[in-house]
Amino acid sequence: MKSIAIITARGGSKRIPRKNIKEFLGTPILAYSIKAALEAGCFDEVMVSTDDQEIADIAINYGAKVPFFRSESTSGDFATTADVLREVLTEYKNRGLDFDMACVMYPTAPFITAEKLSKAIDILKREDIDSVLSMVKYSFPPQRAFVADDNFIRFAQPEFARTRSQDLQPYYHDCGQFCCFKTDMFLEKNTLVTDRTYGLVMPETEVQDIDTFEDWEIAEIKYSIMKKKMEAK
């Protein structure tokens, strides 16, 4: 079964300018995803989908391929990940290359490791499923959330107001790292999450949304801790 890693990295970034290639502990953050995909050894192709020449140059320098640039329609603020993936897979097909499996990876996810990717692909091959999504458990039960009206609070779900946290069902969310999927399924359903999606749970210490400069600093601290643990093994 042939597989491809698709790293989505367009040039536009409003909150952190040039976020996809900003240096993260001395290395362009995009390079971490590329390195993990290459070291995993389970992909026949590792490519970066971008509309930006500087990003393309950095991607190629770190070993990824950029065989074509995004179209105008998939480069804007309202283009979805599904739009980008469909365009990439279609363009490869037009060039005579088909893939049975693919893994979409995000460019600001330094916590992705080769081990995590290999595990996800192995599960996708072995099990009767459509996709494998990296996810993380909410650190506090969302069932106990408050909503506020003019600073006056109330329980969003009052039926759980007196329920012990340990008795509530755990909730999870996409941790913004990767999703491996069977391409036929995606091209048919145009979605990565189906009723046959397997959730691969990540430790909270290895997950960090990076939308602000403060997020960036927290991510560097978390990554440094993760790296020390990996080196100690």
Side-chain angles (χ1 to χ4, degrees):
M1 296 180 72
K2 295 191 68 174
S3 60
I4 181 173
I6 303 168
I7 302 169
T8 59
R10 74 185 185 96
S13 178
K14 302 296 190 296
R15 287 171 289 192
I16 302 178
R18 309 298 288 166
K19 179 172 76 169
N20 290 335
I21 53 175
K22 177 178 166 62
E23 287 204 351
F24 183 89
L25 295 173
T27 301
I29 196 166
L30 170 64
Y32 291 83
S33 294
I34 295 172
K35 182 175 183 287
L38 292 171
E39 289 183 351
C42 55
F43 300 109
D44 298 281
E45 185 101 349
V46 176
M47 71 88 67
V48 170
S49 170
T50 188
D51 58 339
D52 185 280
Q53 186 63 58
E54 185 181 11
I55 291 176
D57 291 342
I58 290 173
I60 292 168
N61 184 55
Y62 281 93
K65 295 183 180 179
V66 186
F68 46 83
F69 281 82
R70 288 193 192 186
S71 65
E72 185 176 348
S73 63
T74 58
S75 299
D77 292 339
F78 299 103
T80 65
T81 297
D83 294 334
V84 175
L85 295 176
R86 181 172 292 275
E87 180 178 73
V88 168
L89 294 172
T90 300
E91 183 59 33
Y92 270 104
K93 186 176 182 64
N94 291 340
R95 296 176 180 220
L97 290 171
D98 284 308
F99 298 95
D100 305 288
M101 300 178 296
C103 189
V104 57
M105 300 170 58
Y106 300 101
T108 55
F111 298 98
I112 298 176
T113 64
E115 181 183 14
K116 293 171 184 175
L117 293 172
S118 296
K119 183 175 182 179
I121 289 293
D122 183 61
I123 293 170
L124 189 61
K125 286 179 178 178
R126 187 177 69 245
E127 304 294 336
D128 180 24
I129 57 177
D130 292 333
S131 56
V132 178
L133 177 73
S134 61
M135 65 181 194
V136 65
K137 185 171 74 172
Y138 281 98
S139 58
F140 185 85
Q143 300 96 318
R144 297 287 298 276
F146 291 115
V147 291
D149 297 312
D150 295 326
N151 293 327
F152 289 95
I153 64 172
R154 57 184 171 82
F155 282 102
Q157 296 177 273
E159 65 270 29
F160 297 117
R162 296 184 180 275
T163 305
R164 298 187 310 166
S165 297
Q166 59 266 41
D167 294 332
L168 293 169
Q169 180 180 2
Y171 280 18
Y172 300 83
H173 63 90
D174 177 0
C175 64
Q177 293 187 9
F178 63 87
C179 182
C180 299
F181 59 95
K182 292 175 180 173
T183 57
D184 285 347
M185 175 283 300
F186 169 75
L187 292 171
E188 176 188 348
K189 299 180 180 180
N190 204 44
T191 182
L192 295 173
V193 179
T194 73
D195 58 1
R196 301 294 301 166
T197 294
Y198 182 100
L200 191 60
V201 181
M202 302 292 145
E204 190 176 354
T205 53
E206 298 177 16
V207 171
Q208 179 64 45
D209 284 336
I210 304 179
D211 294 322
T212 66
F213 289 105
E214 183 179 29
D215 291 339
W216 194 283
E217 292 175 359
I218 294 171
E220 288 187 325
I221 293 169
K222 283 186 172 183
Y223 180 85
S224 297
I225 295 170
M226 184 186 80
K227 188 176 180 181
K228 286 180 181 178
K229 289 181 179 179
M230 291 172 63
E231 292 172 347
K233 288 183 179 180

